[in-house]
Amino acid sequence: MLELNKDNFEEEVLESEGIVVVDFWSESCDPCLELMPEIENLAEKYEGQAKFAKLNIKGNRRLAMSQQVMGLPSIVIYQDGEKQEHLSGEDLEASEVDEAVANYV
Amino acid sequence: MAEVYDILIIGGGPAGLSCAIYGSRSKLKTLVLESSRKLGGQVADYHEMENYPGVVDTTAPELVDSFEEHAKKFGAEFARGEVAELELDGFIKKVRTEKGEEYQAKSIVIATGAEPRKLGAKGEDEFRGKGVSYCATCDADFYVDLDVVVVGNGNSAIEEAIYLTKFARKVTIIVIHEEGKMDAEKLFQERAYANDKIEFVWNSTLEEVKGEGIVDTAVLKNVKTGELTEFDCDGIFIFVGRVPSTDFLEDTEVDLNEQGYIITNDEMQTSVQGVYAAGDVRDKPVRQVVTAAGDGATAAVMSQSYLEAEEHWRENVLKTDKQVVVAFWNPTDNDSLDTLQTIEKLGVEEDDNKKLVKIDTYRNTLITERYKVTEIPTILLIEEGEVVERLTKPAAEDLEEVLS
Ligand SMILES: Cc1cc2nc3c(=O)[nH]c(=O)nc-3n(C[C@H](O)[C@H](O)[C@H](O)COP(=O)(O)OP(=O)(O)OC[C@H]3O[C@@H](n4cnc5c(N)ncnc54)[C@H](O)[C@@H]3O)c2cc1C
């Protein structure tokens, strides 16, 4: 999964055509670490249909907040650079992400 | 036929894991069903762990990792699934998950704990992940040098507020009680007062969450005057107690109290035989890791003795075509020793059409209570599972009459 940061976020997400799914996470967020491998599986499943990327909020806090993300784990779905959906909460399940992404591809 | 577990534990928090350790170590076929990705329950969501006896320097996630390792060591099995439905009548009970998987077990331990209570303030759901949080360790990183509000005043609220001061510039605790009054233990109260970054707003609760995309304002309500004030903040952490996870018990005979906690006796037994409850989900005064672990151990041991008594009864009394002479006795009671001697002299054990089963009323309370035996010795004659004769404190002649 593509690593996002301040330098490439604009280009890879906001100026990107099609569907981009961004997984916001941090080392200290246990639910994020548990969810990550399942999101990686989804990335494989949607290969060619949606781009999956992750953003470690450590060092990118302002960037996350500019995307109105202030809670982890958060998964945000973009279409043609426009924010479409924001899923969040420590009980977030990969199956919910799967269902949400399926609506766009 | 699908596998039948001896003990099926619902929930993999401290209570469930402790129960799994005891169950699997006693060689019972043990399964833990856990709905979330990770075992450990609530403990996986906070950091500090200062009061688990015998483990001086640890963190909450570390402690619960060793619970998990310990349970796996003795061969307990684990599966993922959220239990949605139970079928509890009959010796073999059925457990169904939300996704439709079905499991079977002879005894069930409910250890589903409790989940954070939502406050029900306006905007609370809308701003989840955008500044409203129920998990300090998940979200603290966002609030470095920012201002946060903590709603609540119990142990968790105060502990988490103190944790947040390591990140935030200022932490304001919203307390519904009068000035100086909190539900948290004294120790936590003192630590909060001593912390420069912590401030309090008394007599107040959260009425509404506002913001443009992300939280910027907490609307507070004074519960005495009804007055509303707008309070600038970047995040709102809500710790206003927990509610038991017992929705899936609605259509069962398991008794709950008014708040939805499961009612048990000292043996962790619920109102349904063979069904036990352990940990925070139970109606009890102290909800901590150590008490959850204690409950789990008790539930495992009690469920084992239930299984032994029930299986012994089924095997020896219900599944035979002989007439069964059941003697309820107790080794410390002389009368019951005499009665047993009389029965032996009458040659019951040599008779091919009869079978003697002794029930120690002290050890086997399950069968003793089921047949409402209150005095010993009591003798039951059972044919094809039905009681055909009942003798309480029989004289030798009475025994002779019915047994020969
Ligand atoms: C912020 C905070 C700080 C705390 N600090 C301390 C402390 O310092 N010391 C201390 O001793 N205690 C502390 N506690 C309390 C302690 O964590 C609990 O008492 C303990 O976790 C209870 O364990 P449990 O196994 O009964 O329930 P839980 O830990 O709640 O575990 C229940 C498990 O069941 C699962 N479950 C629920 N429903 C279902 C279902 N339908 N199907 C399958 N699985 C299900 C849940 O996912 C969960 O994993 C704290 C609690 C909080 C919230």
Side-chain angles (χ1 to χ4, degrees):
Chain A
M1 246 159 54
L2 177 69
E3 274 294 345
L4 295 171
N5 54 46
K6 289 190 272 284
D7 302 324
N8 65 1
F9 192 83
E10 185 90 17
E11 182 191 333
E12 295 288 355
V13 181
L14 301 181
E15 291 168 4
S16 176
E17 276 183 20
I19 308 299
V20 184
V21 181
V22 182
D23 180 350
F24 292 82
W25 69 288
S26 88
E27 300 280 355
S28 57
C29 165
D30 280 327
C32 300
L33 301 178
E34 294 150 24
L35 186 62
M36 184 76 73
E38 298 177 46
I39 300 300
E40 276 164 0
N41 289 341
L42 289 182
E44 273 175 38
K45 175 176 166 184
Y46 287 103
E47 176 114 57
Q49 295 175 283
K51 175 160 81 183
F52 278 68
K54 57 184 172 185
L55 179 82
N56 185 343
I57 68 141
K58 194 105 200 161
N60 295 305
R61 189 164 64 107
R62 303 243 167 255
L63 174 58
M65 283 158 70
S66 76
Q67 297 304 304
Q68 306 185 327
V69 169
M70 278 201 100
L72 297 183
S74 270
I75 305 278
V76 181
I77 303 172
Y78 297 83
Q79 183 166 34
D80 301 331
E82 291 283 327
K83 194 170 154 186
Q84 303 294 330
E85 218 167 310
H86 177 179
L87 304 168
S88 184
E90 59 277 11
D91 47 8
L92 182 63
E93 296 282 340
S95 58
E96 296 170 52
V97 179
D98 193 357
E99 276 169 38
V101 175
N103 289 333
Y104 296 95
V105 297
Chain B
M1 204 177 83
E3 274 181 298
V4 178
Y5 289 92
D6 292 319
I7 306 189
L8 188 154
I9 301 161
I10 310 173
L17 292 173
S18 160
C19 187
I21 294 170
Y22 274 76
S24 55
R25 186 165 175 273
S26 301
K27 303 270 182 283
L28 297 176
K29 195 168 168 52
T30 305
L31 175 73
V32 180
L33 265 180
E34 165 60 51
S35 60
S36 73
R37 279 178 295 273
K38 199 170 154 49
L39 296 167
Q42 293 165 47
V43 187
D45 281 347
Y46 54 92
H47 189 76
E48 234 72 51
M49 178 55 63
E50 295 184 335
N51 53 8
Y52 193 80
V55 189
V56 183
D57 264 323
T58 191
T59 62
E62 254 172 42
L63 179 69
V64 90
D65 275 352
S66 53
F67 268 57
E68 179 180 338
E69 186 189 332
H70 202 164
K72 287 182 172 158
K73 174 176 166 184
F74 297 116
E77 294 173 44
F78 293 83
R80 176 118 187 254
E82 178 172 348
V83 172
E85 210 185 329
L86 299 179
E87 233 174 76
L88 301 177
D89 30 70
F91 181 51
I92 308 284
K93 297 158 185 65
K94 290 187 179 137
V95 174
R96 261 184 295 276
T97 67
E98 205 190 28
K99 292 199 174 128
E101 296 114 333
E102 187 176 285
Y103 297 89
Q104 301 192 357
K106 296 174 189 166
S107 73
I108 290 181
V109 177
I110 304 166
T112 47
E115 50 203 284
R117 194 163 80 83
K118 294 208 170 154
L119 196 58
K122 225 160 125 198
E124 184 178 344
D125 280 339
E126 183 194 334
F127 284 100
R128 184 157 185 196
K130 304 179 180 96
V132 169
S133 176
Y134 304 87
C135 175
T137 50
C138 298
D139 297 336
D141 278 338
F142 283 106
Y143 298 99
V144 177
D145 298 327
L146 298 180
D147 292 349
V148 301
V149 155
V150 168
V151 186
N153 65 91
N155 281 348
S156 320
I158 305 305
E159 226 184 329
E160 298 302 79
I162 294 168
Y163 175 77
L164 286 166
T165 59
K166 294 181 190 157
F167 303 81
R169 191 177 71 89
K170 194 180 81 177
V171 177
T172 306
I173 305 179
I174 313 301
V175 184
I176 198 164
H177 306 305
E178 285 174 31
E179 175 151 8
K181 199 167 171 279
M182 288 185 248
D183 295 335
E185 289 164 38
K186 272 272 166 317
L187 172 76
F188 289 131
Q189 296 190 23
E190 281 162 16
R191 284 186 192 170
Y193 287 129
N195 192 313
D196 302 337
K197 285 186 169 180
I198 293 183
E199 287 172 18
F200 293 91
V201 175
W202 305 97
N203 289 312
S204 295
T205 174
L206 178 72
E207 178 75 9
E208 188 181 350
V209 181
K210 284 195 195 166
E212 304 243 346
I214 49 179
V215 169
D216 58 33
T217 307
V219 182
L220 306 181
K221 180 179 179 175
N222 184 308
V223 292
K224 285 226 158 121
T225 61
E227 190 190 345
L228 298 178
T229 3
E230 301 219 326
F231 191 95
D232 288 349
C233 64
D234 304 292
I236 300 174
F237 287 81
I238 299 179
F239 303 106
V240 287
R242 306 181 75 85
V243 285
S245 310
T246 49
D247 290 351
F248 61 99
L249 295 174
E250 212 161 88
D251 295 328
T252 68
E253 301 289 315
V254 176
D255 285 344
L256 307 178
N257 75 5
E258 268 176 31
Q259 290 85 39
Y261 290 98
I262 301 173
I263 299 170
T264 70
N265 63 12
D266 290 348
E267 300 182 345
M268 307 299 134
Q269 202 201 304
T270 68
S271 50
V272 177
Q273 216 148 53
V275 180
Y276 299 81
D280 279 15
V281 75
R282 209 163 68 77
D283 178 20
K284 64 171 185 175
V286 181
R287 295 198 172 84
Q288 289 280 289
V289 175
V290 64
T291 59
D295 284 1
T298 306
V301 174
M302 287 299 121
S303 116
Q304 178 175 21
S305 68
Y306 160 78
L307 287 173
E308 278 168 6
E310 188 68 54
E311 287 187 321
H312 169 264
W313 186 256
R314 282 169 182 266
E315 207 49 49
N316 289 290
V317 180
L318 304 183
K319 271 198 195 155
T320 172
D321 26 353
K322 297 180 184 179
Q323 183 187 59
V324 189
V325 179
V326 186
F328 289 88
W329 74 302
N330 180 315
T332 61
D333 176 77
N334 281 331
D335 287 351
S336 64
L337 292 175
D338 288 348
T339 300
L340 280 182
Q341 234 173 16
T342 311
I343 294 174
E344 270 155 34
K345 276 198 206 126
L346 288 168
V348 169
E349 283 176 302
E350 289 80 46
D351 189 333
D352 282 342
N353 299 315
K354 284 190 169 57
K355 182 175 178 182
L356 175 64
V357 171
K358 299 180 215 169
I359 301 286
D360 179 337
T361 54
Y362 185 69
R363 298 180 58 184
N364 192 340
T365 50
L366 179 80
I367 300 300
T368 306
E369 283 168 17
R370 183 173 300 166
Y371 287 87
K372 302 198 167 52
V373 173
T374 50
E375 283 179 293
I376 46 172
T378 288
I379 306 299
L380 300 182
L381 299 190
I382 295 187
E383 287 172 13
E384 291 172 3
E386 301 289 333
V387 178
V388 295
E389 185 78 53
R390 181 181 183 113
L391 301 170
T392 308
K393 293 186 181 270
E397 306 81 71
D398 301 334
L399 283 171
E400 203 167 345
E401 194 175 313
V402 295
L403 292 181
S404 45

